[in-house]
C-alpha cells in the first residue's frame, strides 16, 4: 500500500487491522490506482530524464558543430578577402586599363593604368565617364558603352590620341548558373598599343617601299622576256625557248607576289581604293571563265558557269570583283585532282534573293583538312596537302579576297572535306 495512505489509516484506526472490510476493499482499489499511476509517473519521469539527457548531449553537439561552422566561415571569409585583395592588387597594377561599371552604368572600379591613361587622379568615381569621353573625343566611346550595356561586345581597334594609339574593348560580364547567362556589369579595357602599331606601320611601310621598288625592274624583265620569246631579236632554239618560258613564269609569280603585298599594305592601312559602281557580275564571271579556259584545260578541269536568266547588279569595284573571283576559280582549278575519270569539274552557280546574290564555286579537288580550316583565311597560310601539291604559291590570296568581299559589305565562307572537294559561298548585296 502507498506509504502516505498507510500513515493516514494508522492515524485514524490505530492499526491497519482495525480498518473496516468495505473501506479496506475500497482503499485497496484506490491504492492499486495510486501505485499504477505512480509507476506510470516514474516511467514518465525516467523518459523525461532520458530525453533531457539526450537534449543536453544534442545541444553540446550542436554547439560544437556551430563552432566548427563558424570557424569554417571565418577561414573562408579570410581566404576570400585575401583572394579579393590579391585580385584587386593584380587588377590595380595591370598594364591594361580597366574600368568596371555596374548594371546601371555607374563606375564601380578603375585601376591605376586606366587612371593614368585618362589622366584621372580624383577620388570621385562619378567623374570617370566625363574624363573618359573627353580623352577619346571623336571616337564612339559613349555609343559603344550604351550598346555594350545592351549586350554587345565591341572594339575600337585604333584610337589615336596625342601621339599614342589605344585599343578599347567593351565587354559584358556574364554569369550563368545553369540558366541563360545574365550580365552583372560591364568592363572597358584600354590597351596602349602604340609600340606594336608603330612597328606594324614601319613593317608595312618597308614592304610597300620594297614592293614599289621591285615593280619597275620586274615589269622591265617581263617586257624583255616577252620580246625575246616573240623572237624580236632573232630565232630561238627549243632550249632557249624553254629557259625563257621558265623565266617568264617565275617573273609572273614575283609580280603577283609584289601586287599581293601592295594590296595587303593598302588593306591594313585602310586605303585600298575602291571605285564602287553597279557592276554586272555575270559579265565578270563569264570573262573569268573565258580567260581561265586554257589554264583549266592544262589541268584537265571542266569549268561550268550556270548563268541565271535575270541577274541584278552588285555594288562593287569592277577590277577588285574580277580579282576576287579569279582567285577563287584559279584555286578551284589548281587544287583539283583528276585521278578518277580524267576530268575534274568546277561549277560556278548563282542564287538570288531580294537583297543578296549568292555565288557558289565548287570543286571536287583535294579539299582542306578539317583541323586546318579555321586558319585558311589567315595571311601566308597554306594547308599541308596544298603545299605538297604546289610549292610556288603564297597563301595570301584568300586573305585579300576576304578583305575585299567584306569591304563590299559581303561575306565569304566555305565547306570542305579532304579529298572530297571544296565549295566557297560568297554573298554580295545587290544594288536596289
Ligand atoms: P594560295 O593558293 O596561293 O596558296 P590562297 O590564300 O588562295 O593561297 O589559299 C590559301 C590556302 O587555302 C591554299 O594554300 C590551300 O591550302 C587552301 N585552298 C584554297 N582554295 C582551295 C580549294 N579550292 N581547294 C583546296 N584547298 C584550297
Amino acid at each position: 500500500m502507498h506509504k502516505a495512505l498507510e500513515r493516514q489509516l494508522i492515524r485514524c484506526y490505530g492499526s491497519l487491522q482495525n480498518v473496516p472490510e468495505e473501506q479496506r476493499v475500497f482503499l485497496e482499489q484506490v491504492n492499486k490506482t495510486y501505485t499504477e499511476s505512480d509507476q506510470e509517473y516514474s516511467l514518465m519521469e525516467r523518459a523525461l530524464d532520458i530525453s533531457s539527457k539526450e537534449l543536453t548531449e544534442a545541444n553540446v553537439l550542436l554547439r560544437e558543430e556551430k563552432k566548427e561552422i563558424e570557424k569554417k566561415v571565418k577561414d573562408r571569409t579570410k581566404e576570400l578577402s585575401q583572394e579579393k585583395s590579391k585580385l584587386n592588387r593584380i587588377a590595380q597594377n595591370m598594364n591594361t586599363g580597366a574600368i568596371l561599371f555596374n548594371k546601371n552604368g555607374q563606375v564601380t572600379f578603375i585601376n591605376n593604368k586606366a587612371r593614368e591613361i585618362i589622366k584621372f587622379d580624383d577620388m570621385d568615381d562619378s567623374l570617370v565617364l566625363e574624363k573618359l569621353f573627353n580623352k577619346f573625343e571623336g571616337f564612339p566611346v559613349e555609343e559603344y558603352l550604351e550598346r555594350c550595356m545592351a549586350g554587345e561586345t565591341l572594339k575600337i581597334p585604333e584610337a589615336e590620341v596625342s601621339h599614342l594609339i589605344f585599343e578599347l574593348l567593351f565587354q559584358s560580364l556574364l554569369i550563368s548558373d545553369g540558366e541563360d547567362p545574365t550580365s552583372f556589369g560591364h568592363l572597358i579595357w584600354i590597351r596602349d598599343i602604340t609600340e606594336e602599331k608603330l612597328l606594324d606601320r614601319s613593317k608595312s611601310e618597308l614592304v610597300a617601299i620594297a614592293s614599289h621598288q621591285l615593280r619597275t625592274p620586274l615589269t622591265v624583265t617581263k617586257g624583255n622576256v616577252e620580246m625575246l620569246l616573240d623572237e624580236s631579236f632573232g630565232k630561238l632554239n627549243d632550249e632557249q625557248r624553254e629557259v625563257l618560258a621558265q623565266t617568264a613564269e617565275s617573273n609572273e609569280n614575283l609580280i603577283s607576289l609584289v601586287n599581293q603585298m601592295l594590296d595587303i599594305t593598302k588593306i591594313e592601312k585602310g586605303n585600298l581604293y575602291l571605285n564602287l559602281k553597279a557592276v554586272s557580275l555575270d559579265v565578270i564571271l563569264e570573262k573569268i571563265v573565258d580567260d581561265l579556259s586554257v589554264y583549266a584545260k592544262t589541268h584537265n578541269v571542266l569549268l561550268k558557269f550556270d548563268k541565271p536568266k535575270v541577274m541584278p547588279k552588285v555594288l562593287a569595284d569592277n577590277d577588285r570583283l574580277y580579282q576576287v573571283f579569279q582567285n577563287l576559280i584559279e584555286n578551284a582549278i589548281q587544287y583539283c585532282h583528276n585521278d578518277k575519270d580524267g576530268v575534274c569539274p568546277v561549277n560556278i552557280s548563282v542564287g538570288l534573293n531580294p537583297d543578296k546574290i549568292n555565288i557558289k564555286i565548287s570543286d571536287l579537288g583535294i579539299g582542306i583538312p578539317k583541323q586546318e580550316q579555321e586558319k585558311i583565311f589567315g595571311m601566308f597560310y597554306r594547308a599541308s596537302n596544298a603545299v605538297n601539291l604546289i610549292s610556288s604559291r603564297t597563301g595570301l590570296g584568300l586573305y585579300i579576297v576576304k578583305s575585299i568581299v567584306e569591304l563590299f559589305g559581303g561575306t565569304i565562307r566555305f565547306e570542305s572535306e579532304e579529298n572530297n572537294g571544296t565549295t566557297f559561298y560568297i554573298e554580295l548585296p545587290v544594288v536596289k
Side-chain angles (χ1 to χ4, degrees):
M1 180 171 297
H2 200 277
K3 288 276 176 255
L5 190 59
E6 218 178 73
R7 273 197 303 277
Q8 270 183 349
L9 287 174
I10 293 170
R11 223 181 297 142
C12 277
Y13 293 99
S15 99
L16 285 176
Q17 278 86 359
N18 302 337
V19 181
E21 179 63 18
E22 232 177 18
Q23 283 186 22
R24 203 176 47 79
V25 173
F26 170 73
L27 286 169
E28 259 161 19
Q29 193 55 44
V30 170
N31 178 48
K32 198 171 159 233
T33 316
Y34 257 116
T35 318
E36 277 172 6
S37 68
D38 247 12
Q39 279 167 354
E40 267 174 38
Y41 194 71
S42 73
L43 272 176
M44 265 163 62
E45 255 183 349
R46 277 224 309 281
L48 276 175
D49 200 28
I50 290 168
S51 55
S52 109
K53 248 193 224 155
E54 277 173 2
L55 271 178
T56 322
E57 278 168 19
N59 210 0
V60 171
L61 277 177
L62 271 178
R63 240 182 272 147
E64 274 168 16
E65 238 163 79
K66 186 180 160 216
K67 254 195 225 157
E68 209 158 297
I69 290 171
E70 273 172 353
K71 188 174 171 300
K72 271 189 196 159
V73 170
K74 209 169 143 195
D75 289 350
R76 188 71 191 122
T77 314
K78 197 173 153 197
E79 235 174 74
L80 282 175
S81 108
Q82 279 171 346
E83 265 167 37
K84 194 177 158 199
S85 85
K86 228 191 279 171
L87 271 178
N88 200 38
R89 239 176 305 143
I90 294 171
Q92 277 301 357
N93 297 310
M94 267 185 326
N95 212 17
T96 300
I99 307 174
L100 188 65
F101 301 83
N102 64 13
K103 275 197 290 194
N104 309 319
Q106 283 148 345
V107 175
T108 53
F109 173 82
I110 168 163
N111 73 353
N112 293 336
K113 189 68 191 179
R115 281 177 189 272
E116 182 194 316
I117 292 172
I118 64 169
K119 303 213 167 19
F120 179 79
D121 42 22
D122 216 304
M123 292 311 286
D124 184 0
D125 285 355
S126 66
L127 301 172
V128 170
L129 278 183
E130 200 182 310
K131 273 275 183 189
L132 179 74
F133 297 155
N134 283 344
K135 170 84 187 179
F136 294 103
E137 205 187 340
F139 295 96
V141 178
E142 193 169 356
E143 178 203 327
Y144 278 22
L145 182 59
E146 273 170 25
R147 284 170 58 186
C148 171
M149 289 173 64
E152 281 184 71
T153 297
L154 298 146
K155 184 153 109 176
I156 301 179
E158 276 183 51
E160 195 163 345
V161 194
S162 347
H163 308 296
L164 292 175
I165 309 166
F166 298 96
E167 179 196 80
L168 279 82
L169 183 68
F170 301 74
Q171 257 183 342
S172 273
L173 301 168
L174 302 172
I175 34 164
S176 98
D177 40 9
E179 291 161 25
D180 285 345
T182 49
S183 158
F184 65 95
H186 313 280
L187 195 58
I188 302 184
W189 296 105
I190 313 173
R191 205 160 66 84
D192 184 344
I193 51 166
T194 313
E195 265 182 38
E196 52 196 272
K197 279 291 152 194
L198 289 184
L199 192 69
D200 273 359
R201 281 182 196 179
S202 48
K203 261 198 252 169
S204 8
E205 230 118 88
L206 189 73
V207 171
I209 292 168
S211 309
H212 264 296
Q213 298 299 326
L214 281 170
R215 249 177 137 169
T216 320
L218 286 172
T219 317
V220 172
T221 313
K222 181 183 160 105
N224 290 346
V225 172
E226 270 168 10
M227 281 198 288
L228 284 167
L229 278 168
D230 286 349
E231 301 190 325
S232 308
F233 304 108
K235 276 249 169 260
L236 296 171
N237 63 31
D238 287 351
E239 212 176 339
Q240 288 167 330
R241 183 171 289 284
E242 201 188 319
V243 171
L244 280 174
Q246 279 171 7
T247 312
E249 197 187 325
S250 303
N251 199 59
E252 272 312 315
N253 285 343
L254 258 181
I255 291 175
S256 133
L257 173 66
V258 164
N259 286 338
Q260 284 181 325
M261 303 270 255
L262 283 172
D263 280 349
I264 286 173
T265 52
K266 283 181 202 152
I267 289 167
E268 295 212 316
K269 278 187 180 168
N271 58 12
L272 186 82
Y273 174 68
L274 293 178
N275 183 11
L276 292 179
K277 283 195 278 196
V279 176
S280 305
L281 186 59
D282 50 345
V283 177
I284 291 185
L285 288 173
E286 269 181 331
K287 180 160 173 33
I288 296 171
V289 169
D290 194 38
D291 290 349
L292 289 177
S293 61
V294 177
Y295 181 63
K297 233 179 236 162
T298 59
H299 282 76
N300 252 353
V301 165
L302 191 67
L303 262 187
K304 195 165 159 253
F305 171 38
D306 290 330
K307 188 181 165 184
K309 285 193 185 75
V310 204
M311 186 91 167
K313 295 190 171 185
V314 293
L315 186 69
D317 177 306
N318 204 73
D319 296 345
R320 293 294 180 186
L321 205 57
Y322 184 96
Q323 181 183 352
V324 164
F325 288 103
Q326 183 196 32
N327 201 311
L328 293 171
I329 298 169
E330 229 175 62
N331 277 352
I333 297 171
Q334 69 181 337
Y335 296 121
C336 249
H337 56 176
N338 47 359
D339 49 11
K340 281 180 211 148
D341 51 9
V343 177
C344 183
V346 167
N347 292 318
I348 304 145
S349 60
V350 179
L352 304 172
N353 68 42
D355 319 310
K356 311 260 187 220
I357 293 188
N358 301 295
I359 306 101
K360 207 167 113 180
I361 300 166
S362 53
D363 64 64
L364 292 176
I366 60 169
I368 302 166
K370 267 264 155 330
Q371 66 278 14
E372 299 184 56
Q373 290 187 358
E374 63 179 37
K375 301 184 193 147
I376 231 68
F377 286 112
M379 243 193 267
F380 294 109
Y381 195 81
R382 303 199 63 217
S384 44
N385 57 346
V387 177
N388 293 337
L389 192 72
I390 310 157
S391 59
S392 61
R393 307 286 302 187
T394 59
L396 290 173
L398 285 185
Y399 174 82
I400 298 171
V401 163
K402 186 167 193 282
S403 307
I404 297 176
V405 168
E406 285 171 359
L407 283 174
F408 292 155
T411 58
I412 176 165
R413 65 181 183 87
F414 66 87
E415 283 166 7
S416 184
E417 200 182 314
E418 196 171 2
N419 294 321
N420 260 332
T422 306
T423 301
F424 276 88
Y425 300 89
I426 304 94
E427 192 171 80
L428 293 171
V430 301
V431 179
K432 293 276 179 190

